[in-house]
Amino acid sequence: MVELRPVTPGDVEILERIVREPEVAAWWSPPDDYTGMLSVVHDGEVVGAVQYDEETDPEFRHAGIDVFLSARHHGKGLGSDTVRTLARWLIDERGHHRLTIDPAAANEAAIRCYGKVGFRPVGIMRAYSLDHNTGTWQDGLLMDLLAAELA
């Protein structure tokens, strides 16, 4: 359902609008820049962005994922498809055996989305991230996925 491609200069204005939508801004602060992120494209339209980070130490090798989509595309399966598509690439092409994702513990929609891909809750990270809207610390939920569990 989605195509992932490097963010282009023409995508930045669209992504800036998306990350400021109230439903997105509740969980994401605007990034300083979009270098290294991938645009999420659905039916030829940029509908969000996804990024990953990699731990390359052989003893702890794994990758992490973060994603946001425009509110008008929430609840349509695009989030799960985005995470699944990137997860498959990180496992098959980059050789990771474990992936992590860390939504706000209160972000029930994101947690359901990631669960559909096969991510499982590991534990609560207390006072994990600073909520840029309220200035308070919020708990995060650490979730992980082993390669064999990818749905």
Side-chain angles (χ1 to χ4, degrees):
M1 293 187 336
V2 299
E3 171 193 350
L4 306 181
R5 62 164 171 76
V7 171
T8 67
D11 298 343
V12 172
E13 184 178 326
I14 297 164
L15 295 173
E16 284 290 315
R17 280 196 308 267
I18 293 171
V19 81
R20 285 179 168 73
E21 293 174 3
E23 300 89 343
V24 178
W27 310 110
W28 267 81
S29 55
D32 292 332
D33 81 46
Y34 292 88
T35 303
M37 294 182 88
L38 302 171
S39 289
V40 178
V41 180
H42 173 66
D43 287 340
E45 175 190 1
V46 174
V47 298
V50 64
Q51 64 185 7
Y52 65 93
D53 62 272
E54 297 179 282
E55 170 58 62
T56 58
D57 181 325
E59 285 188 66
F60 301 98
R61 185 166 168 75
H62 71 278
I65 298 174
D66 287 304
V67 61
F68 67 84
L69 296 179
S70 174
R72 65 190 179 84
H73 293 287
H74 290 179
K76 298 178 180 180
L78 298 181
S80 295
D81 192 55
T82 298
V83 172
R84 185 178 298 106
T85 299
L86 183 56
R88 184 160 284 121
W89 180 79
L90 288 167
I91 291 167
D92 293 347
E93 301 299 322
R94 302 291 298 164
H96 291 287
H97 76 286
R98 185 173 69 88
L99 306 176
T100 62
I101 201 159
D102 55 0
N107 192 343
E108 295 174 4
I111 294 165
R112 277 192 310 276
C113 168
Y114 308 147
K116 290 176 186 175
V117 178
F119 281 86
R120 297 181 184 178
V122 174
I124 295 291
M125 299 177 290
R126 298 175 302 140
Y128 177 63
S129 62
L130 185 61
D131 183 318
H132 65 278
N133 295 308
T134 65
T136 60
W137 290 96
Q138 62 182 350
D139 292 347
L141 176 65
L142 178 62
M143 301 177 78
D144 74 359
L145 168 80
L146 299 179
E149 299 166 343
L150 181 59

